[in-house]
């Protein structure tokens, strides 16, 4: 990254380290917004997608509602908005919403499958750049593997066309993967291709441990997702396949983030930002849709959600005895993805242990040498010492 | 882009950027392509720059702005004119202001 010579008048800084957002902390830095839950793909593993023509469209926020929320986010200090979905480009007014956000002075982060990127949309993105890399999820390197995941005929060609349009116009984007049976053997090929994409400054990330349906709307789809999840050992093998860099990052991560959470439900950043769903409800995080922790923006304000409602949510305590005897005492918190959102998706509660994620975390901890075969992490007394030795790479 | 800043000209913020006040700080966010080196960059002005920027109303020329600032800050107009020329030159080069 090059920087121009320092100027006595104009201070140039990456937004991530700019003093306004770093030191003065406006009420919100980034707003997440799901423009729709509908998608033109029907991915086998997806936790949210509805059919493209689903009647949920009738309940989606209007343009004016979206604009009102964007206006308020800007007034509260937001620098960026993430448009996601579903497939956000399915909304016919996407371009209008995009330009509206940009003209408010927001950077736009766009999560898309790229299928709906037309020459007109690509031209707009070139003329008025999003100022954030677009993130494109890739489901396979061939028509066969891609469409075995997307279950949408013609989707592969449309995705490739969308990619080409972005590349031709030099619009920065990155790609992400989802490791699924149809594409599991293509990771090397995917990474080689990803490395040719100009804006890819590191290897692609992957979804591996798939979430169940976040609306808890389909036992059938949940059943399918269960069958697609990587076995904990296989998942950890994928995570750690670049062994040296994996260990380096885990040593740093573990020393910073691993400790028993106690009975506090929220030790994450949930509720410090805001995630608006397609219908105008604001959630503490993108995945958490438990009715007791979402706030209706149609009858309230973002400011009220951020200053009154979410702080109260963040004070919530776990009461489930199973959670209190395990998760609350478990030092793998941080490694383990069990959280109120995952508990909601799996069990319809905020504080039920998620066995699959517990197994994954234990597998990962065994692989790192933090626990032994047969040990339960919540029973480990000398966890601080174990983390200390691991972080400093002291043989144990 | 070569441009000689004239104190007798009027300048105004460009439509290629969005200027926002966030927590009392002026933030300049690029809107059109080609402003800035990276997609992550945003801009702020120092105190002097902010005082000048706030007076770029598209009607007042730079000499009048310098006089106004000299009165407000009790500073020599010559020094202020140099600051104005420096700032406007840079902002013009960056496509953040236009000559009206």
């Amino acid at each position: 990254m090059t920087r121009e010579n320092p100027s006595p008048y104009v201070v140039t800084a990456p937004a991530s380290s700019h003093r306004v957002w770093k030191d003065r902390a406006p009420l919100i830095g980034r707003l997440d917004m799901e423009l729709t839950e509908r998608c033109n793909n029907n991915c086998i593993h997806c936790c949210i997608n509805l059919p493209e023509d689903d009647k949920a469209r009738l309940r989606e926020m209007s343009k004016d509602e979206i604009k009102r929320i964007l206006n308020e986010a800007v007034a509260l200090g937001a620098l960026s908005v993430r448009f996601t979905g579903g497939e956000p480009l399915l909304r016919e007014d996407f371009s209008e919403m995009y330009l509206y956000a940009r003209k408010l002075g927001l950077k736009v982060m766009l999560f898309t499958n790229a299928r709906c990127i037309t020459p007109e949309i690509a031209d707009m993105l070139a003329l008025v750049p999003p100022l954030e890399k677009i993130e494109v999820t890739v489901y396979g390197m061939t028509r066969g593997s891609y469409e075995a995941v997307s279950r949408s005929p013609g989707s592969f060609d449309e995705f490739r066309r969308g990619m080409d349009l972005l590349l031709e116009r030099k619009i920065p984007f990155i790609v992400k993967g989802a490791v699924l049976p149809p594409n599991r053997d293509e990771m090397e090929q995917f990474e080689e291709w990803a490395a040719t994409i100009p804006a890819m400054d590191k290897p692609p990330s992957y979804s591996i441990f798939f979430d169940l349906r976040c609306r808890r709307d389909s036992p059938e789809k949940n059943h399918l997702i269960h069958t697609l999840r990587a076995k904990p050992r296989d998942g950890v093998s994928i995570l750690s396949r670049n062994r040296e860099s994996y260990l380096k990052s885990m040593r740093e991560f573990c020393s910073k983030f691993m400790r028993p959470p106690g009975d506090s439900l929220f030790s994450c950043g949930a509720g410090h930002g805001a995630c608006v769903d397609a219908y105008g409800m604001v959630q503490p995080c993108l995945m958490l849709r438990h009715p007791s922790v979402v706030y209706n923006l149609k009858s309230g304000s973002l400011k009220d959600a951020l200053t009154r409602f979410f702080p109260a949510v963040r004070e919530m305590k776990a009461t489930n005895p199973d959670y209190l005897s395990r998760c609350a005492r478990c030092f793998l918190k941080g490694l383990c993805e069990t959280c109120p959102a995952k508990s909601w998706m799996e069990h319809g509660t905020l504080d039920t242990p998620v066995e699959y994620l517990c197994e994954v975390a234990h597998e990962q901890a065994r692989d790192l040498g933090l626990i032994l075969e047969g040990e339960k992490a919540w029973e480990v007394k000398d966890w601080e010492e174990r983390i200390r030795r691991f972080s400093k790479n002291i043989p144990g | 882009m070569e441009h000689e800043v004239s104190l007798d000209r009027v300048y105004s913020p460009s439509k290629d950027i969005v200027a926002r006040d966030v927590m009392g700080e002026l933030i300049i966010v690029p809107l059109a392509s080609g402003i800035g080196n990276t997609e992550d960059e945003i801009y702020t002005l120092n105190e002097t720059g902010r005082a000048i920027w706030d007076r770029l109303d598209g009607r007042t020329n730079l000499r009048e702005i310098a006089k106004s600032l000299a009165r407000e800050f009790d500073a020599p107009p010559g020094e202020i004119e140099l600051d104005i020329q420096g700032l406007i030159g840079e902002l013009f080069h960056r496509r953040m202001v236009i000559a009206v």
Side-chain angles (χ1 to χ4, degrees), chain B residues 11-69:
Chain B
Y11 290 80
S12 70
S14 156
K15 288 189 168 60
D16 288 343
I17 55 100
V18 180
R20 295 179 50 190
D21 187 308
V22 183
M23 311 290 280
E25 183 126 27
L26 180 81
I27 307 291
I28 297 175
V29 182
L31 182 61
S33 63
I35 297 179
N37 291 332
T38 76
E39 75 280 354
D40 189 37
E41 249 167 19
I42 55 173
Y43 305 87
T44 50
L45 302 183
N46 67 6
E47 200 178 343
T48 309
R50 174 73 190 261
I52 299 167
W53 179 275
D54 286 344
R55 285 163 174 78
L56 295 177
D57 58 7
R59 295 187 303 274
T60 313
N61 69 27
L62 298 184
R63 199 177 303 281
E64 291 301 319
I65 289 175
K67 282 182 195 166
S68 153
L69 288 169

Side-chain angles (χ1 to χ4, degrees), chain A residues 280-342:
Chain A
M281 305 295 285
V282 60
Q283 310 162 181
C285 84
L286 264 178
M287 307 311 290
L288 183 51
R289 294 164 206 267
H290 189 288
S292 69
V293 300
V294 300
Y295 176 100
N296 189 349
L297 283 178
K298 292 186 177 179
S299 56
S301 68
L302 207 47
K303 184 176 182 184
D304 187 46
L306 286 162
T307 58
R308 185 188 60 78
F309 186 75
F310 286 159
V313 167
R314 287 188 58 81
E315 292 298 314
M316 292 172 77
K317 305 287 186 195
T319 57
N320 179 344
D322 197 19
Y323 182 97
L324 293 171
S325 66
R326 292 169 49 184
C327 305
R329 298 166 51 215
C330 183
F331 82 101
L332 299 187
K333 181 67 188 174
L335 270 191
C336 180
E337 290 186 19
T338 290
C339 69
K342 306 290 170 119

Side-chain angles (χ1 to χ4, degrees), chain A residues 1 3-4 7-9 11-15 18-19 21 24 74 78 102 104-105 107 126-128 131 133, chain B residues 18 20 22-23 25 27 29-33 37-46 83 86-87 90-91 94:
Chain A
M1 183 187 306
R3 295 276 183 225
E4 292 177 14
S7 153
Y9 309 105
V11 182
T12 308
H18 194 281
R19 62 178 180 265
W21 287 275
R24 298 190 203 170
V74 167
R102 288 290 291 109
L104 285 175
K107 302 169 9 145
L127 196 64
V128 181
L131 304 183
K133 292 172 187 169
Chain B
V18 180
R20 295 179 50 190
V22 183
M23 311 290 280
E25 183 126 27
I27 307 291
V29 182
L31 182 61
S33 63
N37 291 332
T38 76
E39 75 280 354
D40 189 37
E41 249 167 19
I42 55 173
Y43 305 87
T44 50
L45 302 183
N46 67 6
D83 273 337
L87 173 71
E90 182 171 347
L91 293 179
R94 290 179 184 271

